[in-house]
Amino acid sequence: LSVSHHNGIRVEWRNRESMSDEEFKECANLFSEHYGIWGMFSGQLAGKRIRLSAAELGRRLAPSGTSALLAYADRQLVGQAFSLQSIIPNQVRVTWVTQLVVHEDWRHRGIATRLLNSIWAFSNDFAWGLVTANPLTVRASEKTTRRRCTPKVIRKHLKALGRVCNDIEYVKGKELCVDEERSKVNTEFHIDHSPIEELKRQYPRKWRLGSLEEGEEWLAFTFGEQRQAAWSREDLESALQNSESILREAYQRMNLDACHGWAQHAPQEVEFVENVVALSMPATVVDFGCGHGRHVLEFAKRGCECHGVDFLRGAIEKARERLDTCSELAVTFSSGDCRSIDLGQQFDLGLCVYDVVGSYADDAENRKLLQNVAKHVREGGFLVLSVMNMELTAAIAKQAGDVYDNPHLLQELEPADIMQKTGNVFDPNHFLIDSESDIVYRKEQFSEDGLPSSELIVRDRRYRREDVLKMCAEIGFEPILCRYVQAGRWEKELHATDVKAKEILFIGRKTS
Ligand SMILES: C[S@@+](CC[C@H](N)C(=O)[O-])C[C@H]1O[C@@H](n2cnc3c(N)ncnc32)[C@H](O)[C@@H]1O
């Protein structure tokens, strides 16, 4: 479903319904070989490995609606986590990790933490947790949520947790035993408890969940109402480290066609460009970061030969589908990285619009992308560039500060589902400007789009008019116009801080 690579470990999401029998078997094997040993009250099984068949694993640990997160080293399955996200009455979300196991040879390499961090969905979710007899798993889940499992708080929300229990076989109908000093449930899962005391000693703080009797496991949950431990600078950096894969995933989840107002005006925009640059037909056009190809298709309808490039395979597939419905047009699409792709050809007009430049927090990457666009435009040819307006952003901002010196600013930023729903990334309640770097941060929540729910930190770089003029001069373009504009109304120059002026449009001619 979706994949990420890190330190040689590949992590893939599956939803339960799409998992093959073979994959269930593989998961059952990993569980059976590496989960744990039956305890002394398990009769004949005592001392033997706890084994599950593929069918039992499916039934007991993967109820309908579960997502599985599988960690591979090369082709070997080395870790797995199953989780169920349930919406309970009043529309609150509970995430329950129904199973977590890491291959013994691959422990202490951060795989469990990575799996839990990937399952971590929304910072304002109602409840997040699991049932386990392993103190280190409790600790890992507290690290993920940055909140402590506290019996008093768990007790307050027992009714809500009880609702989710009904969907999970190993806790269904079981009494949740929670008071001021304990939080546990008798799952009748007689795993060997002998390593527990030693593991509890490794726990950094006072153990709060009580001790376990035979057959019991801890009910370890944290809640959105609990304050999170403050991010350190390292926490901030690690949250941002995956910026590029985050960026791709964020784009993948953008719902361009359906409801993003800014993406509905390609015909008017292309007509405006044609009026300004008066292309002589048949002209050639290239679009870097073409998305679903809306601008190239419009240029092609006017007789141009066009090429669109985007690094999202999903976007290119959509663009090709659109092309299928008007196959007489001269358009080709390539999937590739606009910072480095070489199309082996120069075009009459290069297009790079709607915040392709500005995608990167590291401005050197934005420049690399722009330089590559310039390389693909012939001398005397044209560039059409649009980027997000920093003047307006700064004028309406409610939150600003040095994020690296004050990581809590970002931690406390209110999340939103703007990219999935409206695309209005100028809502001042939901962005934060880093005053040191002119980078804008948002916390974007994605759900119900076929991928697992997740909250991503999305950063972008916005510009002022003088930045754009300078950047374009550096790559050899002389301006024909450079103005603050509204989507679809490029003919009208707006004031820099007009609330409609979300973009800066540059049209220029290549002189060198
Ligand atoms: C906001 S969308 C705009 C899409 C399109 N230009 C439009 O106006 O509909 C930005 C696009 O840039 C693409 N993009 C960003 N960085 C890229 C890169 N380095 N290589 C290829 N595509 C990139 C994204 O995948 C996304 O489709």
Side-chain angles (χ1 to χ4, degrees):
L1 200 58
S2 85
V3 185
S4 73
H5 291 262
H6 186 59
N7 286 348
I9 302 286
R10 199 175 83 245
V11 169
E12 292 186 16
W13 280 104
R14 297 269 186 283
N15 61 48
R16 189 210 191 287
E17 281 67 30
S18 71
M19 277 175 75
S20 64
D21 291 348
E22 217 28 64
E23 281 173 325
F24 266 117
K25 236 187 251 168
E26 224 184 340
C27 291
N29 278 345
L30 183 71
F31 181 93
S32 300
E33 298 301 324
H34 300 279
Y35 187 73
I37 309 282
W38 288 113
M40 59 187 176
F41 292 94
S42 314
Q44 289 178 340
L45 288 171
K48 298 209 165 98
R49 283 219 156 268
I50 300 169
R51 295 187 175 278
L52 277 183
S53 67
E56 283 167 327
L57 177 105
R59 183 168 52 77
R60 291 178 56 86
L61 302 172
S64 159
T66 305
S67 301
L69 194 55
L70 308 178
Y72 293 94
D74 201 5
R75 293 199 166 164
Q76 185 190 6
L77 184 66
V78 295
Q80 67 198 29
F82 286 71
S83 63
L84 182 66
Q85 286 179 341
S86 313
I87 306 288
I88 57 175
N90 298 332
Q91 293 303 303
V92 295
R93 183 189 302 262
V94 176
T95 299
W96 192 305
V97 179
T98 57
Q99 199 220 137
L100 174 68
V101 48
V102 175
H103 192 297
E104 275 165 13
D105 297 347
W106 290 85
R107 295 201 181 145
H108 310 293
R109 301 188 198 200
I111 294 177
T113 307
R114 179 156 162 222
L115 292 175
L116 291 181
N117 282 336
S118 306
I119 291 171
W120 167 248
F122 298 167
S123 54
N124 54 359
D125 265 357
F126 175 70
W128 202 99
L130 39 79
V131 164
T132 180
N134 185 337
L136 297 184
T137 306
V138 174
R139 184 182 168 189
S141 110
E142 291 182 330
K143 267 177 88 177
T144 300
T145 64
R146 307 193 66 77
R147 298 177 174 121
R148 286 201 78 182
C149 297
T150 308
K152 217 168 144 181
V153 186
I154 299 172
R155 193 173 63 168
K156 193 168 131 196
H157 298 301
L158 220 47
K159 210 165 138 199
L161 290 184
R163 291 211 170 95
V164 186
C165 287
N166 284 334
D167 296 331
I168 301 173
E169 203 198 79
Y170 64 85
V171 283
K172 187 173 178 172
K174 303 272 164 36
E175 190 190 346
L176 306 179
C177 173
V178 186
D179 60 24
E180 299 277 315
E181 278 153 15
R182 319 173 280 177
S183 175
K184 54 190 189 172
V185 49
N186 187 352
T187 53
E188 292 160 42
F189 187 55
H190 291 273
I191 191 169
D192 178 19
H193 284 180
S194 56
I196 287 182
E197 286 311 314
E198 172 51 31
L199 290 176
K200 266 164 71 178
R201 268 192 289 279
Q202 294 175 27
Y203 193 82
R205 286 173 293 186
K206 183 168 171 275
W207 184 255
R208 289 187 177 177
L209 298 181
S211 43
L212 295 182
E213 304 295 323
E214 270 302 317
E216 291 180 339
E217 296 181 83
W218 287 297
L219 179 69
F221 274 81
T222 67
F223 298 85
E225 67 171 35
Q226 291 174 276
R227 211 181 151 75
Q228 287 192 326
W231 280 2
S232 64
R233 194 174 174 136
E234 288 73 46
D235 294 324
L236 173 80
E237 277 166 3
S238 74
L240 295 172
Q241 223 172 33
N242 300 326
S243 140
E244 192 158 332
S245 61
I246 285 172
L247 172 86
R248 283 194 194 204
E249 191 177 339
Y251 279 133
Q252 190 87 27
R253 303 182 96 168
M254 223 160 53
N255 196 358
L256 285 183
D257 290 338
C259 40
H260 278 207
W262 59 269
Q264 317 291 330
H265 312 286
Q268 298 90 309
E269 290 169 353
V270 169
E271 182 170 341
F272 174 73
V273 171
E274 274 231 293
N275 289 339
V276 174
V277 303
L279 291 169
S280 49
M281 292 301 159
T284 54
V285 173
V286 65
D287 187 357
F288 278 77
C290 65
H292 300 169
R294 60 194 184 108
H295 290 106
V296 271
L297 290 171
E298 232 18 82
F299 273 107
K301 283 181 195 160
R302 289 154 192 269
C304 299
E305 277 175 33
C306 300
H307 197 118
V309 184
D310 204 289
F311 62 13
L312 282 187
R313 210 164 288 182
I316 291 297
E317 273 165 21
K318 236 319 165 12
R320 288 195 177 125
E321 271 169 32
R322 281 184 163 190
L323 180 61
D324 280 348
T325 60
C326 35
S327 52
E328 73 289 354
L329 300 180
V331 184
T332 29
F333 289 107
S334 313
S335 90
D337 193 320
C338 295
R339 290 167 296 177
S340 51
I341 198 166
D342 183 354
L343 298 172
Q345 181 191 346
Q346 286 194 315
F347 295 78
D348 298 320
L349 185 140
L351 202 63
C352 190
V353 290
Y354 287 102
D355 325 320
V356 188
V357 169
S359 297
Y360 295 91
D362 177 356
D363 216 25
E365 298 305 310
N366 294 315
R367 282 165 194 269
K368 214 191 265 179
L369 203 155
L370 196 54
Q371 272 158 4
N372 203 31
V373 184
K375 195 180 104 183
H376 284 86
V377 177
R378 68 165 171 80
E379 209 176 319
F382 301 97
L383 169 69
V384 180
L385 169 74
S386 84
V387 294
M388 271 194 264
N389 175 0
M390 189 63 191
E391 296 279 5
L392 172 62
T393 307
I396 60 175
K398 289 186 180 166
Q399 302 161 90
D402 183 333
V403 170
Y404 281 84
D405 279 354
N406 304 293
H408 70 93
L409 290 176
L410 186 52
Q411 192 178 10
E412 284 156 18
L413 182 67
E414 203 178 298
D417 53 6
I418 289 166
M419 280 179 85
Q420 201 180 26
K421 297 269 166 68
T422 62
N424 177 16
V425 297
F426 282 78
D427 178 346
N429 294 316
H430 296 293
F431 71 75
L432 163 75
I433 301 183
D434 183 74
S435 46
E436 279 301 294
S437 59
D438 270 3
I439 289 172
V440 175
Y441 289 79
R442 298 190 319 280
K443 272 191 193 153
E444 286 284 351
Q445 297 190 332
F446 300 88
S447 63
E448 296 156 25
D449 60 350
L451 293 167
S453 302
S454 67
E455 185 172 293
L456 306 174
I457 297 170
V458 178
R459 299 185 277 181
D460 61 65
R461 170 84 162 85
R462 302 186 184 183
Y463 299 88
R464 298 181 167 82
R465 187 170 176 273
E466 62 266 25
D467 304 327
V468 175
L469 286 167
K470 187 160 172 258
M471 220 161 46
C472 292
E474 275 167 14
I475 54 164
F477 283 85
E478 204 168 73
I480 297 171
L481 61 86
C482 184
R483 58 171 67 148
Y484 294 97
V485 294
Q486 174 187 3
R489 302 291 305 275
W490 287 359
E491 71 286 356
K492 187 165 176 204
E493 180 159 8
L494 299 174
H495 187 267
T497 55
D498 185 319
V499 287
K500 294 199 276 318
K502 293 178 179 166
E503 294 284 310
I504 303 176
L505 174 70
F506 174 95
I507 302 181
R509 184 190 277 271
K510 189 168 178 178
T511 53
S512 57

